[in-house]
Amino acid sequence: MEIVVFAIISVVATVCAIFVISHRNPVSSALFLIATMVSLAILFLTLNAPFLAAIQIIVYAGAIMVLFLFVIMLLNLRKDEFGPERKRAQRFFAILFGFLFLILIATAIDVGLSTVGNPEVSTTKLAPAGVEMLAELLFTKYLFPFEIASVLLLVAIVGAVVMAKRKL
Amino acid sequence: MVTFIIITLIKILIVFVFFLLMIAYLTWLERKLLGHFQVRLGPMRVGPHGLLQPFADGIKLLFKEDVTPAKVNKFIYNLAPLLTFIPALIIMAVIPFGDQIKIFGQSINLVISDFNMGILYVFAVTSLSVYGIVLAGWSSNNKYSLLGGLRSSAQMISYEVSLALSLIGVFMIAGSLSLVEIVKSQDKLFSWFIFRQPLGFILYLVCAIAETNRAPFDLPEADNELVAGYYTEYSSMKFAMFFLGEYGSMINVSALATTLFLGGWQGPFLPPVLWFLIKVCAFLFFYIWVRATLPRFRYDQLMNFGWKVLLPLTLLNILLTATIMVL
């Protein structure tokens, strides 16, 4: 059952992700990105992480992507505004970051393979991770990274306000 | 396993049919009540007191010509009505409408799925329901539609935050995110969350009206400025889908308010399902009453109210609840 769901959803997610970068129309790209995020949420569900799945949809698919669409519609981009010209620096950085991303994926696969068959990290045998468990971990074991992340978000908010105010 | 699937399918079927009937009769109720509020009679011709009016309307909409404007993105144009209607429909899956009952020795929970994070599911689905409206506005190739779509997305994002935060107090006291558990924690009249969370209840009520784009927050479809807003270009069944979605989400927020603040199905003498329906109908009546009473907000008033009044108040509510709980 889980394997079947995984097979279908992972194909859907990958195909949608490819369409995000291959589609000419920005609104369609955004829609495919939403589809990718929803399929990721379903993958989280099969991994017994309903909280993560719900948050994935609420935050990414529900809030951030609405803002994306909002901005795309406000700018009202047309197809002809995306010319074939590409800057040289852009190409350089694309290759660089592509390479870095490849390393990231390779490491992830390597770590993933080393845990195959290890019962301690198998998610399917655990009870679904509840909110209580998550909250406890966030406020005890992972308190420091949690606070750092919140400070980072605060800095980003302040920065956004400053940048928006300058233009007003 | 097989009996479980059969029981679930039957529950889905009953809830689905009943939900659609409620939507149909909500349109009748709204026209009737608005009529009486304005010293008219409302629909009277089709059936006694216009009781068959929803069916007449449905048949009329089905047989109307389906017009697609020239040069629209057909796929998105056709997808948008579905994206408004389906989220409204699937929220019902987690709302408990009665206690456990026993039929033929089988104990049946009167809720389609007692998911232990039911409320998060509701939030997730509501947050997706914005897309139908936004995409309808964009894909219609019409500036009024686009403005309606943009307005609604801004409005729904703003009020969604306050909507979710206004409910935090309830979860803190109930100690659970499961809707069934929350109903069970309100077993006495004065343990209803409307009494334990009065500020949260009022905030939820305001946000819910704004979230469903109803008067006085119905700016996305402000007729005098935007023709009909995001669904200006739609006709026939696609037009009807937007209405089904809107009335469906009205029923959803009422059912949610009943579950979270008014003790859900619980009440004396009458059967639980009936209590649930009575409470939901009281909310729907209140909705229509508000629409008949209050004039529409201006857009800047709406945004200022959402961010500068509602949001700080929801945060204050959480702070107060936490303080009282610690004391």
Side-chain angles (χ1 to χ4, degrees), chain A residues 49-105:
Chain A
F51 183 74
L52 208 55
I55 293 299
Q56 165 89 6
I57 288 185
I58 293 170
V59 175
Y60 286 99
I64 293 179
M65 287 315 294
V66 175
L67 287 179
F68 269 41
L69 268 184
F70 192 76
V71 171
I72 292 171
M73 285 175 187
L74 268 184
L75 298 176
N76 211 1
L77 297 171
R78 294 276 164 228
K79 275 176 203 160
D80 44 279
E81 284 174 35
F82 295 99
E85 83 168 292
R86 285 203 173 79
K87 303 230 162 55
R88 206 171 220 178
Q90 201 180 354
R91 187 168 290 176
F92 170 72
F93 280 113
I95 292 171
L96 180 71
F97 285 117
F99 185 67
L100 288 177
F101 189 64
L102 210 63
I103 296 176
L104 192 70
I105 290 179

Side-chain angles (χ1 to χ4, degrees), chain B residues 94-124:
Chain B
V94 290
I95 292 183
F97 47 91
D99 207 358
Q100 211 170 45
I101 54 166
K102 271 195 190 289
I103 300 177
F104 306 124
Q106 289 275 347
S107 57
I108 300 172
N109 284 322
L110 285 186
V111 51
I112 293 176
S113 161
D114 179 14
F115 183 39
N116 67 346
M117 290 173 201
I119 192 69
L120 286 179
Y121 168 83
V122 174
F123 287 155

